[in-house]
Amino acid sequence: MKKSILGLAVVSAIPMFSTSVIAADEAAQSIEKIQVTGSRIKRSDMENASPVTLIGADDIKAMGATSIDSVLQKMTATGGAMTNPGVNNGSGGNARIDLRGLGANRTLVLVNGRRMIASGTGAASTVDLNTIPVSMIKSVEVLKDGASAVYGTDAVAGVVNIILKDDFEGLDMNVNSAITGEGDATETSFDFTVGTSFDKGNIVVGMQYTDRGEASQADRDFSKCPIAEGANGLNCNGGSVYSEGGHIWQDSTTKALDDDGKEVSVGLAQGDNGLSGLGGLHPFTDADRFNFAPSSYLYTPMERLNLTGLATYEISDETRVFTEFTYTKRWSQQQMAPQPVWFGFKYDKSMGDSLLDQTYTSKVDADGDGYADKDADGKYLTQTANYKYGDDIFYGRRMSDTGARYFEQSVDTVRAVIGADGYAGDYFWDVSANFGRNDSVDKLSNLHNMGAIGDSIMYTNDENDVVGTFNPLDQAAWTSEDFRRNVYTEVNNGGSQLFILAASVSGEMFELPAGYAAFAAGIERRQEKAWFTPDSLTAQGLANDPMVEPTAGGFDVNEAYVEFALPLLADAPLAQNVELSAAIRAFDYSTFGSDETWKLGLTWKVNDELMLRSVVSTAFRAPTVSELYSGNSPSFEQVEFPGAQDQAEVTVGGNNQLTPEEADTLTAGIVYEPQWFEGFSMTLDYYDIEIENAIATVDNQYIVDQCLVAASNKDSALCKSSNVKLDSTGRITFNNQLQNIGSEKTSGVDLNLSYSFEAAGLNWKAGLDTTYLDEYVVEVTGDPVDYAGVITSGTGGYAEFKSNLTINVAGDNWDAQYQARYIAGMDSYSCIGKEDSCYAPTTPTVIYHDVSGSYLVNDTVSLTAGINNLFDKQPPYYTGNNDSNTDPYTYDVLGRRFFAGVNVKF
């Protein structure tokens, strides 16, 4: 059978990961026709109109990586909120890739050129990179261009194609370990790969087991306490008002008039700090705030087992069958502070007299018109009032009485592909079936059945009898055996499933004066479904947080595509080769109907040194099952409002009326490999992506500003649909479901330099990879926001400049590598327009230095070792930070990390 190599693109590879640029003439002589990520047409050279990065297995090993996310997330073309082990709150143990900072759901992940099942916890809609075994990776190709015309939905920001070892022979075993300079976050990995070939085919089997340990926020100076900004600088008073021993507010409201004379409701004791029960009832102060850092992980633990099998068998000289199988079992954990609970009750005489001598600040209605009065400066008139029996009390408490919250995930992901391919004359064909399924169980321990607690609160009935057994004002009641019966473990189930039938054909159509015109065409049918079943108590809203609804749904889509490569000129003056590529894809979804997307590309090879390239295309992203059918659930988001808590309780959920996002993409660049400078190459590419009809939620702060700050807007459609409320504790609540209401535009430049040479009897390779982010403008209802050069509190950072410098030197039996990773300083989104009020409105420039090396002991054994973050650079603090007083999406939170490994080959 005629052999083919899937996915190789070296001309435009980033020098951080690739070693050299191979001339097209040499390539055509040394390899057969290949398929480059971004095109389904096999070519006799490796030139492509789209920029493609190649990451090899040796590059992965040099970084000490046991998971591919730690490699991909270091690329300069990434940004935003990339979930990784340093994200404790809400990560679910997942690992994601986010090209261009446009979101993980706009980056398509393939394995051997075919879709990978969405994986993780719940009704997953993106690929968890933990499901890809590093030990089985032959190479990774990253297409930094929209490719919906070739691959369908999700390929808006680009494509990550992970190519597995399908032709390996022999036995390869690795033992790797890592530990930080603080002695924590230990990691151990063991893997083996076995492969054999026979007359009609080959079989490759691999296993990898990884055990990753944890680190605590308490074990680093920058994260040991929640930092607050005060008049004298930074302090540790940024903890939660839901404190140990309880926090009491007066839970009543009164009528008031806003600046426009419209009636509003305000907390009777709004602005009053309330009472703390820690050490006896007393006025709440910053000293009573709860330090949640010691209970929170800085780096999350995980165990993972990956099993992989690939096989081919030649039925005849022209036809073969193939199969791929991967299975991943993941056990992951996160840990957070004890649960904060809150509820209201009436102060009853059966609860004792501990509140009677306590006071609170009450708004005054002196003129008796039913509305709280204000003074000449617009401030409410207040007076001191005493608590009395019958008062409505709002009570919050940090449940350190029962311990920290433990999040656990057990996730099974399986993917199986079976197919056949071959040649019919000069035409290559293939058919395949791709099945994937992801099942997850996630548990949350040390929660409290607030429904049962509320029902047991004591009160005096009309017959003067005491009903109920639980007195929330009695500290001993919170630690009694009776109370512990209210502690439970939440158990949720979820999953997703994918099934694809695909067939394609490709080859040359006819000869033109400049060469042969080629094509590829195919059809696909894809079915997806996903589900999430919350714990029964959570589904009933009895778990303190609001009710979480289930998710269930699916869709199917039929697609057809055709792609052409048309040589226009050859061996002409200033046009050694000019080729036009074009593709169109039509699709019909059961959820929203039909449409199409297209691509046009041009490569202009001026001579042996210079090539120009450009692609214009349309792209789309269909709404996922989760976006369409997810039930409503609470999300706690950072907001700012005078007198309010900094986390709002936001109800989020799906919308079955969503339609696809639509995008226009443009890339244009040059590839330069001068003959006068042997070993040097350069690529320079401009990108521009515009997304319309974006699926988004309204900015949470915008809702607060429109509906609370500007209370006169309360009758607007936005404020009515969001139903914004502010309770007497200062907690803001509102609804914010998904809608097709956004637009996003990003543009920038990628510059890649590579130089290979010999000196002092050694082989040297140097590479510089730099991305400049010119703009990233997001508009959702409010004014457009340009996030270029901005770091946020929840969606990561968007540095204007990111750069990776790599220097590699190799001898006969050893090699060493140095890498510097540069992240430019950014402005805090929370401080834009009010920089003077922020202690740290910007982050400094951060540079990480990594070193590694390997030594070949003999033909069988080799050793690898290295240090990441050599100088123990600590992540920066910034006002409006995300978690751990920094941004774990963007910065390294572990510090200096040592790794070592042993490789044995037979």
Side-chain angles (χ1 to χ4, degrees), residues 733-800:
T733 62
F734 56 89
N735 301 323
N736 196 5
Q737 278 80 9
L738 291 169
Q739 304 175 63
N740 286 104
I741 54 173
S743 68
E744 301 185 28
K745 184 180 188 302
T746 186
S747 62
V749 175
D750 293 325
L751 171 65
N752 310 304
L753 306 175
S754 178
Y755 182 41
S756 300
F757 60 97
E758 293 183 8
L762 302 173
N763 295 317
W764 297 79
K765 301 170 188 175
L768 179 66
D769 167 25
T770 299
T771 294
Y772 166 63
L773 177 61
D774 179 53
E775 63 176 345
Y776 176 32
V777 178
V778 179
E779 182 175 0
V780 182
T781 305
D783 296 331
V785 177
D786 188 352
Y787 286 93
V790 171
I791 191 167
T792 69
S793 63
T795 58
Y798 305 88
E800 287 187 332

Side-chain angles (χ1 to χ4, degrees), residues 50 80 82 100 173 180 203 305 342 393 525 550 575 599 613 662 670 672 704 708 751 785 793 821 864:
S50 300
M82 292 181 291
R100 305 299 186 199
M173 295 188 298
T180 70
I203 298 174
L305 175 66
W342 57 94
I393 303 299
R525 175 172 175 79
K599 180 190 84 167
R613 62 188 181 189
E662 301 169 354
I670 64 172
Y672 183 49
V704 170
L708 284 180
L751 171 65
V785 177
S793 63
R821 295 181 287 121
T864 302

Side-chain angles (χ1 to χ4, degrees), residues 137-437:
I137 295 177
K138 178 164 61 177
S139 62
V140 180
E141 295 173 12
V142 181
L143 172 71
K144 298 175 292 182
D145 191 10
S148 288
V150 177
Y151 298 112
T153 182
D154 303 338
V156 176
V159 178
V160 175
N161 186 14
I162 299 168
I163 301 165
L164 303 181
K165 299 174 181 177
D166 58 355
D167 56 358
F168 179 80
E169 295 184 46
L171 172 64
D172 189 317
M173 295 188 298
N174 294 278
V175 177
N176 299 285
S177 63
I179 191 171
T180 70
E182 301 295 328
D184 54 15
T186 57
E187 188 167 14
T188 302
S189 177
F190 168 76
D191 67 75
F192 70 81
T193 304
V194 180
T196 185
S197 295
F198 47 92
D199 289 344
K200 293 291 187 178
N202 68 289
I203 298 174
V204 182
V205 176
M207 185 279 288
Q208 179 177 351
Y209 172 76
T210 303
D211 186 357
R212 185 179 73 209
E214 78 274 2
S216 170
Q217 291 185 18
D219 294 332
R220 300 293 189 277
D221 287 340
F222 67 85
S223 61
K224 65 183 180 182
C225 67
I227 292 177
E229 298 176 5
N232 297 320
L234 302 179
N235 57 63
C236 278
N237 293 333
S240 171
V241 296
Y242 289 86
S243 54
E244 295 178 291
H247 191 160
I248 297 172
W249 295 272
Q250 180 71 9
D251 188 29
S252 297
T253 59
T254 187
K255 294 180 180 180
L257 298 176
D258 64 16
D259 293 338
D260 296 324
K262 293 185 178 181
E263 183 179 297
V264 295
S265 295
V266 296
L268 184 64
Q270 186 178 345
D272 191 309
N273 288 332
L275 304 173
S276 174
L278 185 63
L281 281 174
H282 60 272
F284 180 88
T285 68
D286 283 341
D288 295 304
R289 291 179 178 271
F290 181 76
N291 179 4
F292 46 78
S295 304
S296 299
Y297 284 146
L298 181 71
Y299 198 75
T300 58
M302 178 190 70
E303 286 185 80
R304 184 183 71 228
L305 175 66
N306 297 99
L307 301 177
T308 309
L310 302 98
T312 62
Y313 182 79
E314 293 186 8
I315 299 175
S316 67
D317 289 343
E318 301 295 327
T319 304
R320 70 168 187 170
V321 293
F322 60 87
T323 184
E324 304 169 8
F325 174 82
T326 61
Y327 169 74
T328 300
K329 179 74 173 184
R330 167 164 67 87
W331 303 268
S332 50
Q333 299 176 15
Q334 301 83 47
Q335 181 176 303
M336 294 181 64
Q339 184 183 18
V341 300
W342 57 94
F343 56 93
F345 60 89
K346 284 190 179 293
Y347 182 33
D348 188 83
K349 61 183 180 181
S350 62
M351 300 175 181
D353 59 2
S354 60
L355 272 181
L356 294 181
D357 59 350
Q358 303 294 331
T359 62
Y360 62 92
T361 301
S362 172
K363 293 181 176 65
V364 175
D365 176 20
D367 56 15
D369 64 355
Y371 297 100
D373 298 331
K374 295 181 180 180
D375 61 20
D377 296 327
K379 297 180 180 179
Y380 286 109
L381 298 178
T382 60
Q383 65 182 12
T384 299
N386 282 84
Y387 286 95
K388 59 184 182 300
Y389 295 131
D391 279 349
D392 292 321
I393 303 299
F394 190 91
Y395 189 94
R397 188 181 185 92
R398 182 65 60 169
M399 293 304 302
S400 54
D401 313 275
T402 50
R405 286 169 290 173
Y406 297 95
F407 299 77
E408 302 174 89
Q409 299 87 35
S410 177
V411 185
D412 295 88
T413 306
V414 64
R415 177 180 183 266
V417 177
I418 187 169
D421 60 20
Y423 282 88
D426 291 330
Y427 295 101
F428 179 80
W429 60 268
D430 76 89
V431 294
S432 64
N434 180 354
F435 173 81
R437 184 177 174 101

Side-chain angles (χ1 to χ4, degrees), residues 36 95 127 219 261 312 407 478 508 526 547 589 689 747 758:
V36 179
V127 174
D219 294 332
T312 62
F407 299 77
W478 291 92
E508 295 175 343
R526 186 171 82 253
M547 180 175 64
Y589 278 77
I689 305 171
S747 62
E758 293 183 8

